[in-house]
Amino acid sequence: MPDVVSPGFWMYILGFLLLLGPLVTIHELGHYLVGRWFGVRANVFSIGFGKELAGWTDKRGTRWKLAALPLGGYVQFAGDMNPASQPDAEWLKLPAAERERCFQAKPLWQRALIVLAGPLANFVFAILILAAFLMAYGQIVASPTIGKVEAGSVAAAAGLREGDRIVAIDGSRVREFGDIAQLVAPHPGEPLAVELVRGGESVTLDIVSARKTERDEFGNEFVRGYLGIGPSAVEVLPVGPLEAVGVAVGQTRDMVSMMVTGIGQIITGKRSVEELGGPLKIAKFSGEQLSLGWRAFVAFAAFISINLGFINLLPIPVLDGGHLAFYAAEAIRRKPASARSQEWAFRTGIAFVVALMLFVTINDLTSLKVFGG
């Protein structure tokens, strides 16, 4: 595929701001709206961190602001010590009426829902985008029956034939041909158990997928697992609203599954840590997708929104998943963790997140050859 002209610096900046700003806003609105529903007062709603660039205070006393560092955001509820929602013991000294509006005064299940609402908002946003695309352009459907086997491919070498109907890969059910790529792509060069039906009989073949390196329009390289087969027929079917939402939920689930697989492969060494990306790579990819048009950019926004929701659910203190882990422990123990243990967990979480941000930023600088290679 021939390279296209890479977007300029300002396209990267614009793409990054148009991507991350709305996604962070949606995430924090999830927290804010559910908190407001339960009667919790929000002191600050911030897009970005650090010095305030612009803002206003509404009639409820919430300070809405845009801050200088556009790498996230937060809602600071009454009773929070800081933007990471560490509890502040001073809330107990407030008058009863004000104390009832503090986050810490709410029942455990309400606090958990307020925290969970942020990641869920990102998932819902992505599902709405995917559903809208399905309704507008239809769904590509193909039977998992093989219509073509590439000569010299791992599929041909393993004995796959035209007319074979693939029903499962490594125990995961295959409903249509697109499922095959979803299950094979995350496992380049790995053995896979392919279950199929041939002439009415069940057959299982052990196949080691090929490592296929692909380049997009901008020269970005991606390695994926590949068998070398094609479908027998492809249709584009119209999709109604309810069906579109159901399919979009399935697509979102599949993307999350691939993320879990990818993290597991990095931890076990099957994939290089160089594949981890930070803000610089997000800016690069967002600018590239924006240069391709609104459809490519919005589809990319849906993917990043799913990433944002998933990452925030990881059980790391200071992230939403860390708070939910503490609430789960509180539900089991019937009492909250001690202030000291929460403080140490918070410090550890901050250290981990800062170290990870430094690592992925250095990774970005190296992979993008910012200093010349």
Side-chain angles (χ1 to χ4, degrees):
M1 182 180 294
D3 293 353
V4 301
V5 177
S6 296
F9 173 78
W10 291 111
M11 182 66 81
Y12 294 138
I13 297 298
L14 179 61
F16 183 77
L17 294 177
L18 288 178
L19 177 78
L20 207 59
L23 294 185
V24 168
T25 301
I26 288 166
H27 180 96
E28 300 305 333
L29 274 175
H31 293 311
Y32 171 80
L33 292 174
V34 176
R36 181 172 162 183
W37 183 25
F38 290 137
V40 180
R41 174 182 171 177
N43 291 333
V44 180
F45 187 110
S46 178
I47 302 302
F49 299 103
K51 183 179 179 181
E52 179 178 325
L53 301 178
W56 77 94
T57 303
D58 65 19
K59 62 182 181 180
R60 294 183 176 83
T62 302
R63 182 66 179 175
W64 299 76
K65 65 180 186 179
L66 182 67
L69 190 61
L71 294 178
Y74 61 90
V75 178
Q76 187 170 353
F77 291 112
D80 289 346
M81 182 189 301
N82 52 37
S85 291
Q86 270 191 293
D88 186 353
E90 294 298 313
W91 76 275
L92 293 169
K93 301 177 183 179
L94 296 172
E98 292 185 39
R99 197 164 59 240
E100 285 300 313
R101 300 183 63 195
C102 290
F103 178 79
Q104 305 302 331
K106 298 303 176 182
L108 178 61
W109 68 272
Q110 291 187 5
R111 283 181 279 142
L113 285 178
I114 292 170
V115 171
L116 185 61
L120 285 182
N122 286 122
F123 288 131
V124 169
F125 180 68
I127 288 168
L128 291 176
I129 290 175
L130 296 173
F133 277 18
L134 285 164
M135 288 187 290
Y137 306 109
Q139 180 185 11
I140 298 175
V141 177
S143 164
T145 299
I146 299 175
K148 176 184 177 183
V149 178
E150 294 180 8
S153 66
V154 295
L160 286 175
R161 307 173 188 169
E162 293 183 12
D164 288 347
R165 181 182 178 87
I166 297 178
V167 295
I169 295 178
D170 272 355
S172 296
R173 185 179 175 187
V174 173
R175 295 176 176 82
E176 56 100 16
F177 203 88
D179 295 340
I180 299 172
Q182 291 281 352
L183 295 170
V184 173
H187 302 282
E190 295 184 29
L192 301 169
V194 179
E195 300 174 37
L196 55 93
V197 175
R198 175 183 295 168
E201 296 183 359
S202 295
V203 179
T204 299
L205 299 176
D206 293 323
I207 303 176
V208 177
S209 68
R211 292 180 60 88
K212 186 173 184 180
T213 301
E214 296 181 339
R215 300 176 69 215
D216 66 11
E217 299 94 327
F218 304 96
N220 301 307
E221 290 190 354
F222 307 92
V223 178
R224 67 183 182 93
Y226 187 74
L227 295 182
I229 57 176
S232 56
V234 177
E235 296 180 275
V236 179
L237 302 178
V239 183
L242 290 179
E243 185 184 0
V245 171
V247 174
V249 169
Q251 291 175 339
T252 300
R253 180 198 61 232
D254 291 341
M255 290 184 195
V256 171
S257 177
M258 290 181 70
M259 292 172 198
V260 172
T261 299
I263 289 177
Q265 290 174 332
I266 289 174
I267 292 173
T268 58
K270 291 181 179 180
R271 282 183 179 268
S272 170
V273 293
E274 293 180 0
E275 295 190 29
L276 291 173
L280 296 181
K281 276 188 180 178
I282 293 176
K284 178 179 186 292
F285 293 143
S286 60
E288 290 170 350
Q289 297 305 308
L290 183 60
S291 71
L292 294 176
W294 72 268
R295 281 178 58 182
F297 183 75
V298 172
F300 182 66
F303 175 71
I304 296 299
S305 189
I306 295 170
N307 270 266
L308 186 59
F310 171 73
I311 289 171
N312 271 278
L313 285 176
L314 295 177
I316 300 170
V318 311
L319 296 183
D320 295 330
H323 291 293
L324 291 172
F326 269 114
Y327 296 155
E330 182 177 342
I332 295 171
R333 298 173 69 243
R334 301 296 180 94
K335 61 180 181 179
S338 67
R340 182 175 178 80
S341 64
Q342 291 189 51
E343 175 67 21
W344 276 106
F346 172 79
R347 291 181 179 181
T348 303
I350 284 286
F352 178 82
V353 170
V354 170
L356 182 61
M357 286 297 295
L358 287 173
F359 176 81
V360 296
T361 300
I362 294 171
N363 211 14
D364 288 353
L365 292 172
T366 303
S367 63
L368 298 177
K369 297 180 175 59
V370 172
F371 300 116

